Amino acid sequence: MLPLDTLRGHADRLAGTTLASLFDADPRRGERMSVRAGELYLDYSKNRLDDAVLADLVDAAERAGLPERARAMFAGEHINVTEDRSVLHVALRKPAGESLVVDGVDVVAQVHEVLGRMAELATAVRSGQWRGHTGERITHVVNIGIGGSDLGPRMVVRALRRYVDDGLTVRFVANVDGADLESALEGLDPQRTLFVVCSKTFTTAETLANATAARTWLVDALGDDAAVARHFVAVSTNADAVAEFGIDQHNMFGFWDWVGGRYSVTSAIGLSVMLAVGPDHFGELLAGFHDMDEHFRTAPLAENLPVLLGLIGVWERNGLGMQSLAVLPYAQDLELLPAYLQQLDMESNGKSVTLDGEPVGHDTGPIVWGQPGTNGQHAFYQLLHQGTTVVPCDMIAVLAPLSGLRSQHDQLLANCLAQTQALAFGRSRQEVVDSGVDPALAGHRTFPGNRPSNTILMSELTPRALGQLIAAYEHKVFTQGVLWDVNSFDQWGVELGKTLARALVAEMDGDGAGAELDSSTRRLLDLYRQAR
Ligand code: F6P
């Protein structure tokens, strides 16, 4: 049970306490409230909490059974209770030679068998040994997938821009809007293009529509169905559907039902990443994930980076009643991280029933959103600083520059740190007046401060550090799911919309009489049909 009364009691106790006073009372707060894990440094001192809050949060995690639940996950127990499945993305990054036997099968051996096949393909494509149907070298990879089969590889390829092979460009297509595929194919030579169709289920409407259209584009251009064998590979758990689509088993890379879509970037779903950066860098990425898995598994709760991130989020959501979380990477190469974390967090913990299927008695997952700094500063930060809604922020910065423009990196980091200062300490009305501002305007120029943020510093944006960062958020989400008593590994909430969309597609060519529609939907459908 989440100790709501305890959290609210702390919130009442701290209601008159500001971050400024907490820092004044403890000159070492900034160093003390920090933790290192791998190449990550988390400063959580600019949150509205004190040691008593943290102690009770850690106690709540213990009472909720976080250590046992983590152990059960790592052991392959079926903790995804609504689908009766293990949750074993952590097995995807275990080093070769380790073993984890689940339901009688050594899953680590299976994982490395697939990794080996992925490496063979990636090496062959990157070296030019793999040729297209007409004998041309592959220069473009197009990843077709959506949700977890898109966001992970898309974000990682973008983040590891500096590691991407010069000779290979990777593009991504997700949306069923044909404009997405059309723009991805713009300027591409079919003879030099390899499609990687990613879908855990291989039943997802968007992905099948895009893959079918891409196959038509290829076959029309090359004039031979046999071309598919040299230009299409698939990543899926559904071998039958892949075969039915016409992709040879040799060109299919499998994974398992114990890998959730949003946790799948370290499975074969990462094939486009491996093609882009090569097997060695992909191995480094996996090693980074494993570093954080081990930290999460072994570090005491009060010194555990993902656990602390999770507990602070629970405090903000359930103690302070905050509704959202802004993810603000001060690194352009991490520009897709907010979108990636949006799926990871919101699809995992956007739940309102407990593991037993009863209504939860507390708020669960926050709304996750964000954009890279400094861009956001010139757009929505106004609300962060002076709006009526308080939004906790995760600032993420990389110490080593991602460009050759050193002085711009100084500016970037200065902005990141300045924003955390402004959010936390603000600027009082008195300070504003004392600075010579007309008192009539002072209210407009006052910053209330006391707005929470975490700062995560990464030494460098290497594959290894990136793996550590992503895994930290995975385990943060796990921690929160345990405290909120929800199943973080299903996503039934996406199903109704899919079913209704299928029914409406069926109505497009009819007169609409077949579906029982409310007056709004019927009118909107009619307008579309008239416009067709
Ligand atoms: O509809 C939601 C979802 O199931 C996500 O959980 C998943 O990542 C995405 O669709 C894609 O699914 P698939 O990989 O099976 O195509």
Side-chain angles (χ1 to χ4, degrees), residues 219-525:
V219 171
D220 283 357
L222 302 187
D224 189 353
D225 275 336
V228 171
R230 304 304 294 169
H231 294 271
F232 271 80
V233 300
V235 180
S236 185
T237 59
N238 186 348
D240 292 345
V242 169
E244 200 175 313
F245 181 84
I247 296 178
D248 193 275
Q249 294 292 297
H250 293 108
N251 292 343
M252 170 177 159
F253 299 85
F255 62 113
W256 307 272
D257 70 359
W258 41 260
V259 183
R262 53 194 174 274
Y263 298 89
S264 66
V265 67
T266 50
S267 73
I269 290 291
L271 182 58
S272 298
V273 177
M274 195 194 268
L275 283 160
V277 303
D280 291 347
H281 289 133
F282 192 77
E284 278 293 297
L285 179 78
L286 297 186
F289 273 86
H290 184 63
D291 294 336
M292 192 55 69
D293 294 342
E294 285 303 286
H295 169 79
F296 175 62
R297 196 174 66 78
T298 59
L301 298 184
E303 295 159 31
N304 195 310
L305 189 149
V307 170
L308 284 165
L309 277 179
L311 294 181
I312 291 165
V314 167
W315 160 242
E316 281 159 350
R317 191 82 183 95
N318 305 108
L320 301 177
M322 293 169 185
Q323 296 186 339
S324 84
L325 170 71
V327 177
L328 308 170
Y330 276 73
Q332 191 59 28
D333 288 348
L334 290 175
E335 66 175 330
L336 301 181
L337 185 68
Y340 174 81
L341 294 183
Q342 207 165 45
Q343 185 199 13
L344 177 67
D345 200 319
M346 294 173 77
E347 210 174 57
S348 296
N349 287 340
K351 308 284 163 65
S352 52
V353 296
T354 65
L355 286 175
D356 292 335
E358 298 301 323
V360 289
H362 46 259
D363 285 320
T364 60
I367 299 158
V368 177
W369 59 287
Q371 270 194 39
T374 59
N375 304 15
Q377 289 175 206
H378 299 274
F380 55 82
Y381 277 42
Q382 165 62 40
L383 184 149
L384 299 186
H385 288 293
Q386 290 186 319
T388 52
T389 299
V390 175
V391 180
C393 302
D394 279 3
M395 312 293 212
I396 301 162
V398 185
L399 297 180
L402 295 167
S403 75
L405 304 172
R406 176 84 235 183
S407 75
Q408 290 192 212
H409 193 62
D410 290 346
Q411 287 190 47
L412 179 69
L413 269 284
N415 272 278
C416 175
L417 303 188
Q419 290 300 325
T420 71
Q421 281 182 300
L423 287 166
F425 307 119
R427 197 158 192 236
S428 69
R429 188 185 168 87
Q430 194 58 51
E431 285 174 293
V432 173
V433 173
D434 289 350
S435 73
V437 169
D438 176 353
L441 293 177
H444 297 279
R445 304 191 53 172
T446 298
F447 288 72
N450 215 22
R451 297 180 177 224
S453 64
N454 290 307
T455 306
I456 298 177
L457 299 180
M458 308 169 69
S459 339
E460 245 186 286
L461 189 49
T462 57
R464 190 153 192 155
L466 180 65
Q468 294 172 359
L469 180 71
I470 303 169
Y473 275 98
E474 287 179 347
H475 298 314
K476 170 208 164 163
V477 166
F478 180 87
T479 298
Q480 297 189 326
V482 171
L483 270 98
W484 288 326
D485 192 24
V486 298
N487 183 2
S488 304
F489 301 104
D490 61 12
Q491 58 284 323
W492 301 106
V494 301
E495 294 305 324
L496 179 59
K498 289 183 191 173
T499 308
L500 296 178
R502 273 197 296 274
L504 289 178
V505 167
E507 289 303 315
M508 292 294 176
D509 289 320
D511 58 6
E516 276 191 23
L517 298 178
D518 61 87
S519 58
S520 161
T521 312
R522 173 169 302 285
R523 172 83 180 126
L524 295 168
L525 179 65

Side-chain angles (χ1 to χ4, degrees), residues 146-149 199-202 204 261-262 343 347 491 494 498:
I146 198 163
S149 298
S199 175
K200 178 176 171 180
T201 55
F202 228 79
T204 302
R262 53 194 174 274
Q343 185 199 13
E347 210 174 57
Q491 58 284 323
V494 301
K498 289 183 191 173

